[in-house]
Amino acid sequence: KRPYQTIVLFPNAFARMVPSSAALDLGTFEFIMRSGRALIYPVYQGTFERRRNVTPGPAGTRDMQLQWARDFFRAVDYLETRPEVDMQRLAYYSLSMGAYFGPIPVALEPRIKAAVFAAGGLRYNYPPEIQPMNFAPRVAVPSLLVYGKDDFSVPAAAQRRYFELLGTPREHKKVVVLEGGHVPSDQRAMFREVLDWYDKYLGPVR
């Protein structure tokens, strides 16, 4: 049996508000598994059972995001131990919080071959060492950006800037704007765009 095309998920802020991973937000990612792909949802520092108070200020934010990155890399290391995972067809998927943070792990993890950043924006109040847009020019993999037309937190100018800063060659990055607010309400169209992107750059699932 052919090894699985696998998606590494970085969650939205829901994961930081709920005390147990028994209550996963399935509606945001189940479509990926239904397409025949494998998906890993790590319990990152500060989420679900690992929730804790973050030290106020830039130092606390930096420490949390450094741990997020370590958790992400460890998850990829774990996948490499699994014979049923095709490490040549590994991708990143993120929604909102994970898309804001996404340029950091995607730029630093060479085993990721494609990425989807849904409802991701810019941060202006982060220290340089954890400023995602400082890492965006180092993102080289095919990258899809998905937005809601009426996104209240990521206006059109920020969407364009995110796209421009990504280091991926222009012909291998794409912005899709759908009906809806911060998260597109046209979920069927969003799911289709995401799966088509993975089909294009990782190959279709058989």
Side-chain angles (χ1 to χ4, degrees):
K1 187 175 180 180
R2 188 180 185 189
Y4 284 101
Q5 185 182 131
T6 302
I7 311 302
V8 186
L9 183 143
F10 199 101
N12 59 65
F14 171 87
R16 298 189 68 184
M17 297 183 286
V18 178
S20 172
S21 55
L24 292 179
D25 47 332
L26 280 170
T28 64
F29 64 88
E30 188 177 25
F31 73 99
I32 293 174
M33 296 182 293
R34 288 184 177 275
S35 74
R37 295 166 170 87
L39 180 140
I40 183 170
Y41 191 146
V43 176
Y44 296 91
Q45 182 68 263
T47 70
F48 298 120
E49 290 85 358
R50 299 178 70 195
R51 290 195 308 167
R52 62 178 178 82
N53 292 327
V54 178
T55 304
T61 302
R62 181 193 62 229
D63 292 347
M64 175 68 75
Q65 295 210 359
L66 286 173
Q67 187 59 57
W68 284 355
R70 292 190 191 103
D71 290 341
F72 181 86
F73 302 143
R74 287 169 182 160
V76 177
D77 288 343
Y78 168 72
L79 290 176
E80 204 157 33
T81 70
R82 301 299 298 254
E84 66 268 45
V85 171
D86 186 346
M87 294 301 293
Q88 298 308 309
R89 298 194 301 156
L90 202 65
Y92 182 83
Y93 179 72
S94 54
L95 177 66
S96 191
M97 181 177 77
Y100 275 82
F101 175 68
I104 295 177
V106 174
L108 297 177
E109 177 48 80
R111 291 170 289 186
I112 294 294
K113 308 302 182 185
V116 173
F117 305 107
L122 311 177
R123 303 286 196 197
Y124 297 104
N125 58 342
Y126 279 11
E129 62 269 28
I130 58 163
Q131 171 54 256
M133 288 305 118
N134 287 343
F135 292 80
R138 296 179 60 187
V139 172
V141 300
S143 297
L144 173 67
L145 281 61
V146 184
Y147 292 103
K149 183 175 68 174
D150 301 312
D151 192 331
F152 56 86
S153 61
V154 190
Q159 297 174 18
R160 290 193 297 270
R161 186 59 176 155
Y162 195 122
F163 176 83
E164 291 164 358
L165 285 170
L166 289 177
T168 303
R170 185 167 290 268
E171 64 271 23
H172 297 300
K173 57 183 177 178
K174 178 183 178 182
V175 176
V176 173
V177 180
L178 302 170
E179 291 296 326
H182 182 53
V183 177
S185 56
D186 189 347
Q187 290 199 330
R188 180 171 294 184
M190 177 176 164
F191 295 168
R192 185 71 268 155
E193 291 285 350
V194 172
L195 297 180
D196 284 350
W197 194 255
Y198 293 145
D199 281 348
K200 181 176 180 179
Y201 286 103
L202 302 180
V205 174
R206 296 181 178 86

